[in-house]
């Protein structure tokens, strides 16, 4: 293969690679609150806050991009704290609905904000995100979650997820841990929002709608939330899949759009039915099945 | 007295589950709490551990009022417990369950682990060793790596005791720790409860196994319909006509 054709391939798939990283980071932001048993669907709202904050700074100040990104990371976490104090008392579906409400409020806020051009959003955002930044951000998020696992904090989070009242009678301040994880997830989403805005040249409120959170949640569920890297596996698979499908459907002469939706739905259904712990549990399952077969043969 | 309850009441929709109960547990004492089904024993433990607030009355631990405190604060003051309907963390291993129990005892800030400081690894190793030692103490070293949900009921109860002990509580509340155990296992639990008391922890023991209660308790409080009907040493309580009536009445009705 010649150098030129390699370059062509890179140009064709560059944005897919970037979106694998961004979606991975977003999936981790949903996972972060899920890891202590909380289903928060406020992530698109946090993402919007990060995206708008960094874009406004880019347009109106001469601050270095690193500073804009830092603001986009910290601001959603600061917003998450007053949101979480009342909302995290809610459980299950009530928490989910309250956080959906928050996401919609944030979106409508930006729809009605003339300063950021309302529903149309801001265009011609300078492209300042490079590939390495996306993957550095993803790597940093994975690093933090990896170090939490197996720590005193990590065990406390698992205990809260398994049985919150019992965890509290062991001295675990569940409210504080849940709030901290909501803030951490919010900062992942805000950072992803800022990186995406400066990669796609635009921010607009419609990008941060409810369906965006559903996408994030689907990445996490398909990848599996049993391990911290599961959501990234799911995001990779589901972001790359449409590209593969487009190739395939153009060869067999079908319209790619409907095929994509159909296959996405099918993947979700198959995973929920047959791999409830997600794609990332597949190696462990195969190993388990092989061991069982070996044991059966030995006896 | 280390732990004292004064006129504690709890009503559920007008019905008094605990109706003005008072009792005290001394330091290093094994205190039995017995009574027929529905007498209010579990409700009383739930109030002491902060899971539910009392409707009225006071609970004092070592001079400090703890009634109405959130349960994680109560735990930090030195009270941990086990549950009648076992509440281990099912997806965690036995060893990790005990490690969670040690939460209050561990000095393990996350930033040390983030920076790969050797002190973090040393602390983790020590905490793991301590939880394995506790599992050995309850006779469960063989199943340290087993998921809690895969253990038998008797084994789960023993892991729960180890988890409660891991916080080095001043008072440990045990709610029917021998339910579903065979006689040999009951003997081992009796021995364990005595050894826990010898190391200075107080125990408040709810139990239906009368022989166990008589054997291990220094004092016994008897609850019936939410009220204390007797309080004293095992021999005093066993002779008490009100206790005999409550138990025979309960059995006659059943
Ligand atoms: N959350 C609750 N809501 C309503 N009623 C309750 C609640 N918890 C307990 N009760 C009632 O309070 C009474 C005391 O129950 P409790 O569980 O404390 O009894 P117990 O002495 O532990 O009984 P057992 O020996 O069967 O465990 C019962 O009549 C029970 O139905
Ligand atoms: Mg009970």
């Amino acid at each position: 293969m010649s150098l030129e054709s390699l370059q062509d391939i890179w140009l064709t798939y560059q944005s897919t690679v970037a979106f694998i990283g961004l979606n991975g980071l977003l999936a981790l932001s949903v996972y972060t609150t899920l890891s202590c048993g909380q289903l928060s669907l406020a992530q698109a709202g946090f993402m919007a806050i990060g995206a708008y904050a960094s874009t406004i700074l880019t347009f109106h100040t001469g601050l270095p991009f690193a500073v804009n990104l830092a603001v986009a990371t910290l601001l959603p976490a600061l917003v998450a704290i007053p949101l979480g104090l009342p909302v995290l008392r809610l459980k299950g579906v009530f928490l989910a609905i309250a956080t959906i409400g928050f996401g919609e409020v944030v979106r409508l806020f930006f729809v009605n904000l003339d300063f950021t051009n309302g529903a149309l959003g801001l265009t011609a955002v300078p492209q300042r995100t490079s590939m390495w930044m996306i993957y550095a951000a993803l790597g940093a998020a994975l690093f933090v979650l990896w170090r939490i696992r197996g720590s005193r904090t990590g065990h406390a989070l698992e205990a809260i997820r398994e049985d919150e009242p019992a965890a509290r009678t062991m001295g675990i301040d569940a409210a504080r841990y849940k709030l901290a994880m909501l803030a951490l997830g919010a900062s992942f989403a805000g950072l992803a929002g800022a990186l995406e805005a400066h990669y796609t040249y635009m921010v607009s409120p419609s990008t941060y709608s409810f369906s965006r959170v559903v996408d994030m949640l689907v990445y996490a569920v398909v990848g599996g939330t049993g391990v911290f890297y599961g959501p990234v596996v799911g995001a990779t698979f589901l972001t790359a899949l449409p590209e593969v499908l487009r190739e395939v459907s153009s060869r067999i002469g079908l319209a790619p759009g409907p095929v994509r939706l159909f296959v996405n739905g099918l993947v979700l259904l198959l995973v929920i039915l047959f791999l409830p712990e997600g794609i990332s549990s597949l190696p462990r399952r195969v190993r388990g099945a092989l061991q069982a077969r070996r044991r059966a043969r030995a006896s | 007295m280390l732990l004292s309850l004064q006129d504690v009441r709890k009503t559920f929709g007008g019905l008094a589950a605990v109706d003005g109960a008072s009792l005290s547990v001394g330091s290093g004492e094994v205190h039995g709490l017995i009574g027929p089904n529905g007498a209010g024993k579990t409700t009383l433990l739930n109030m002491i551990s902060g899971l539910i607030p009392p409707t009225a009355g006071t609970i004092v631990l070592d001079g400090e009022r703890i009634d109405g405190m959130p349960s994680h604060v109560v735990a930090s003051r030195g009270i941990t417990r086990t549950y009648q309907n076992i509440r281990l963390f099912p997806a965690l291993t036995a060893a990790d369950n005990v490690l969670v129990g040690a939460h209050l005892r561990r000095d393990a800030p996350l930033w040390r682990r983030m920076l790969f400081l050797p002190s973090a690894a040393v602390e983790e190793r020590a905490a793991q060793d301590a939880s394995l030692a506790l599992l050995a103490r309850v006779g469960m070293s063989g199943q340290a790596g087993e998921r809690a949900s895969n253990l038998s009921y008797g084994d789960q109860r023993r892991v729960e005791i180890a988890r409660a002990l891991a916080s080095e509580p001043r008072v440990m509340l045990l709610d029917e720790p021998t339910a579903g155990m065979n006689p040999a296992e009951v003997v081992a639990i009796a021995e364990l409860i005595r050894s826990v008391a010898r190391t200075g922890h107080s125990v408040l023991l709810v139990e239906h196994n009368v022989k166990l209660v008589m054997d291990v308790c220094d004092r016994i409080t008897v609850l019936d319909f939410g009220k204390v009907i007797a309080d004293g040493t095992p021999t005093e309580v066993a002779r008490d006509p009100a206790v005999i009536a409550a138990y025979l009445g309960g059995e006659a009705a059943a």
Side-chain angles (χ1 to χ4, degrees):
Chain A
M1 210 182 274
S2 73
L3 201 59
E4 276 90 83
S5 66
L6 268 180
Q7 237 160 13
D8 281 349
I9 291 174
W10 175 239
L11 284 176
T12 316
Y13 291 111
Q14 198 178 20
S15 90
T16 306
V17 173
F19 272 99
I20 286 175
L22 291 169
N23 289 339
L25 192 54
L26 291 168
L28 287 180
S29 93
V30 173
Y31 166 80
T32 304
T33 47
L34 274 181
S35 72
C36 54
Q38 311 300 305
L39 177 57
S40 157
L41 298 177
Q43 287 359 58
F46 294 132
M47 189 187 178
I49 292 171
Y52 272 100
S54 62
T55 309
I56 290 168
L57 289 178
T58 297
F59 277 128
H60 298 280
T61 69
L63 290 171
F65 191 44
V67 175
N68 296 5
L69 290 181
V71 170
T73 310
L74 293 176
L75 191 61
L78 287 180
V79 174
I81 290 167
L83 170 72
L85 283 175
V87 159
L88 285 174
R89 289 166 191 265
L90 303 173
K91 303 242 173 298
V93 77
F94 298 104
L95 174 63
I97 288 169
T99 48
I100 290 172
F102 167 80
E104 283 302 288
V105 166
V106 171
R107 194 176 63 80
L108 291 174
F109 172 78
F110 287 115
V111 165
N112 289 297
L113 194 68
D114 292 334
F115 177 58
T116 55
N117 209 14
L120 297 176
L122 298 166
T123 49
V125 178
Q127 191 180 42
R128 292 168 102 183
T129 300
S130 26
M131 194 66 80
W132 70 263
M133 292 179 196
I134 294 174
Y135 279 88
L138 180 65
L142 281 170
F143 175 82
V144 169
L145 295 173
W146 172 53
R147 295 313 285 165
I148 287 177
R149 188 177 71 147
S151 69
R152 173 176 177 268
T153 305
H155 281 119
L157 295 172
E158 285 180 301
I160 294 168
R161 187 193 65 206
E162 294 284 300
D163 186 338
E164 187 178 330
R168 297 181 63 221
T169 56
M170 299 289 104
I172 292 166
D173 187 349
R176 220 190 67 197
Y177 280 101
K178 290 195 296 188
L179 197 58
M181 293 321 268
L182 184 72
L184 183 65
S187 65
F188 290 170
L191 179 57
L195 289 169
E196 187 187 79
H198 291 83
Y199 185 78
T200 59
Y201 314 98
M202 55 172 280
V203 270
S204 96
S206 61
T207 320
Y208 313 111
S209 64
F210 175 60
S211 69
R212 191 72 192 259
V213 198
V214 174
D215 286 344
M216 300 178 202
L217 187 62
V218 169
Y219 299 147
V221 169
V222 167
T225 52
V227 284
F228 68 96
Y229 53 82
V232 179
V233 174
T236 307
F237 182 73
L238 288 175
T239 310
L241 190 63
E243 298 307 316
V244 177
L245 288 178
R246 189 161 52 201
E247 286 292 316
V248 173
S249 55
S250 74
R251 296 238 169 107
I252 60 175
L254 277 172
V259 172
R260 196 193 118 185
L261 285 177
F262 173 74
V263 171
N264 264 3
L266 192 67
V267 166
L268 181 60
L269 201 62
L270 289 177
V271 166
I272 288 175
L273 288 177
F274 299 111
L275 265 181
E277 286 164 83
I279 299 176
S280 60
S281 70
L282 206 52
R284 187 161 44 85
R285 287 196 158 217
V286 169
R287 230 179 297 130
L290 287 179
Q291 255 166 17
R293 198 196 292 170
R294 218 173 299 136
R295 228 174 290 134
R297 204 176 293 155
S299 66
Chain B
M1 281 290 153
L2 182 60
L3 174 70
S4 21
L5 282 71
Q6 267 298 324
D7 297 321
V8 172
R9 261 178 80 80
K10 182 73 200 182
T11 52
F12 292 111
L15 212 92
V18 174
D19 194 2
S22 303
L23 68 88
S24 344
V25 181
S27 203
E29 177 182 304
V30 180
H31 193 111
L33 180 61
I34 61 172
N37 290 113
K41 306 177 296 290
T42 298
T43 305
L44 202 66
L45 292 199
N46 286 347
M47 287 190 279
I48 298 172
S49 55
L51 281 177
I52 54 174
T55 311
T58 56
I59 304 174
V60 175
L61 177 73
D62 201 12
E64 185 186 19
R65 267 188 79 162
I66 58 164
D67 52 273
M69 279 185 177
S71 47
H72 68 273
V73 181
V74 172
S76 75
R77 296 298 191 272
I79 299 182
T80 48
R81 66 172 295 175
T82 67
Y83 294 86
Q84 180 174 354
N85 52 341
I86 307 173
R87 291 180 78 162
L88 286 172
F89 308 116
L92 306 195
T93 63
D96 284 350
N97 266 280
V98 180
L99 213 49
V100 171
H103 184 83
L104 287 165
R105 290 288 152 200
R106 293 185 61 186
D107 173 32
L110 201 52
W111 61 267
R112 276 198 215 143
R113 200 176 145 88
M114 295 277 176
L115 298 180
F116 296 93
L117 293 193
S119 60
V122 169
E123 190 278 341
E124 268 159 42
R125 174 46 58 84
Q128 275 156 7
D129 288 349
S131 56
L132 291 181
L134 271 173
L135 282 177
R137 190 167 168 195
V138 298
M140 286 291 299
S141 25
Q143 283 123 300
E146 195 66 58
R147 258 174 77 114
S149 57
N150 291 344
L151 298 171
S152 72
Y153 277 132
D155 288 349
Q156 291 192 12
R157 291 207 183 276
R158 291 190 285 175
V159 174
E160 239 196 350
I161 295 176
R163 182 179 70 173
L165 274 176
S167 67
E168 294 168 31
R170 292 206 274 176
V171 184
M172 181 161 69
L173 315 175
L174 299 176
D175 200 348
E176 303 198 17
T178 67
M181 284 189 180
N182 65 40
E185 288 176 314
V186 174
V187 170
I189 292 296
E191 189 42 55
L192 177 67
I193 292 173
R194 274 193 220 102
S195 88
V196 167
R198 269 199 303 275
T199 46
H201 311 271
S202 305
V203 177
L204 182 57
L205 170 68
V206 171
E207 195 37 83
H208 280 299
N209 185 330
V210 176
K211 185 178 178 316
L212 173 74
V213 176
M214 294 293 161
D215 282 354
V216 303
C217 292
D218 303 305
R219 290 186 72 80
I220 296 174
T221 299
V222 188
L223 214 56
D224 192 20
F225 293 111
K227 288 192 164 73
V228 174
I229 57 165
D231 186 288
T233 63
T235 27
E236 284 165 8
V237 164
R239 276 202 304 259
D240 196 303
V243 177
I244 296 165
Y247 268 84
L248 290 182
E251 256 155 48

